């Protein structure tokens, strides 16, 4: 996983072209005002899902990982905590290939707090639990870029 900020994207020049394309898309579009839902960038190889919700507690959320896509979570409005662990440390449950959704159970190893402009890239072995409140529940709008591996 890679945790960073859009304020210093020049530090991430080493990243793959498809990941850099996500940052280019972010810089070239008014994503705060983008409509909720999926927006294709390069067909099924690269797209972004704009989501909004109120953050909540871990009891109301779930663990997930993905095999076919990387996730790049980019905070547009609000804030959230994302709990993290490695797949090898979790109880691995069913995989849904249609949704590219690997379910898991277990405890967090660490967490990151995403504020506006922060991002988190999750690779296939990075299990994550999103939409968690940092202090109190808040409205959040986030871009989740899906990058085909």
């Amino acid at each position: 996983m890679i945790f960073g900020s859009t304020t210093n994207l020049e530090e991430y020049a080493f990243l793959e072209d498809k990941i850099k394309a996500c940052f280019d898309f972010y810089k070239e579009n008014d994503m705060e005002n983008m409509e909720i839902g999926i927006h294709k960038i390069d067909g099924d190889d690269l797209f972004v899902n704009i989501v909004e919700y109120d953050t909540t507690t871990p009891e109301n959320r779930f663990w997930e990982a993905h095999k076919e896509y990387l996730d790049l979570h980019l905070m547009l409005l609000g804030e959230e905590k994302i709990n993290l662990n490695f797949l090898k440390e979790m109880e691995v449950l069913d995989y849904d290939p249609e949704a590219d959704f690997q379910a898991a159970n277990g405890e967090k190893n660490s967490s990151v707090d995403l504020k506006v402009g922060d991002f988190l890239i999750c690779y296939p072995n990075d299990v994550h639990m999103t939409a968690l409140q940092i202090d109190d529940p808040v409205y959040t709008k986030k871009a989740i870029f899906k990058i085909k591996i």
Side-chain angles (χ1 to χ4, degrees):
M1 66 195 75
I2 298 172
F3 174 51
S5 172
T6 56
T7 59
N8 56 342
L9 288 176
E10 66 280 355
E11 293 181 13
Y12 303 100
F14 64 90
L15 292 172
E16 295 177 22
D17 288 342
K18 285 184 184 179
I19 295 174
K20 290 190 278 189
C22 297
F23 295 131
D24 290 341
F25 186 86
Y26 168 71
K27 290 186 285 188
E28 295 165 3
N29 291 277
D30 179 13
M31 295 190 74
E32 282 182 25
N33 294 307
M34 195 169 279
E35 198 172 307
I36 304 305
I38 293 174
H39 304 267
K40 301 280 184 165
I41 300 168
D42 185 16
D44 290 335
D45 287 342
L46 178 61
F47 59 92
V48 63
N49 187 13
I50 305 295
V51 298
E52 62 182 3
Y53 46 79
D54 291 324
T55 56
T56 188
T57 62
E59 295 77 27
N60 296 319
R61 298 297 295 156
F62 51 85
W63 288 102
E64 63 180 290
H66 311 287
K67 294 181 181 183
E68 301 295 322
Y69 288 88
L70 304 182
D71 274 359
L72 190 160
H73 299 260
L74 196 153
M75 190 58 57
L76 303 173
L77 298 168
E79 64 183 22
E80 78 174 352
K81 179 181 294 300
I82 298 180
N83 285 346
L84 301 160
N85 206 332
F86 299 108
L87 196 59
K88 67 181 179 135
E89 302 297 328
M90 304 291 280
E91 175 190 5
V92 178
L93 303 173
D94 293 334
Y95 175 69
D96 178 353
E98 289 292 316
D100 188 33
F101 182 88
Q102 176 63 68
N105 277 331
E107 299 299 318
K108 76 174 186 172
N109 174 300
S110 62
S111 62
V112 297
D113 292 351
L114 293 183
K115 310 283 181 157
V116 173
D118 291 344
F119 66 87
L120 177 70
I121 302 172
C122 294
Y123 288 81
N125 288 307
D126 302 332
V127 185
H128 45 286
M129 179 186 287
T130 63
L132 301 175
Q133 65 194 50
I134 294 175
D135 293 313
D136 297 314
V138 297
Y139 166 80
T140 297
K141 186 171 186 179
K142 181 171 73 171
I144 306 169
F145 290 91
K146 303 295 281 188
I147 304 151
K148 183 89 167 173
I149 298 172

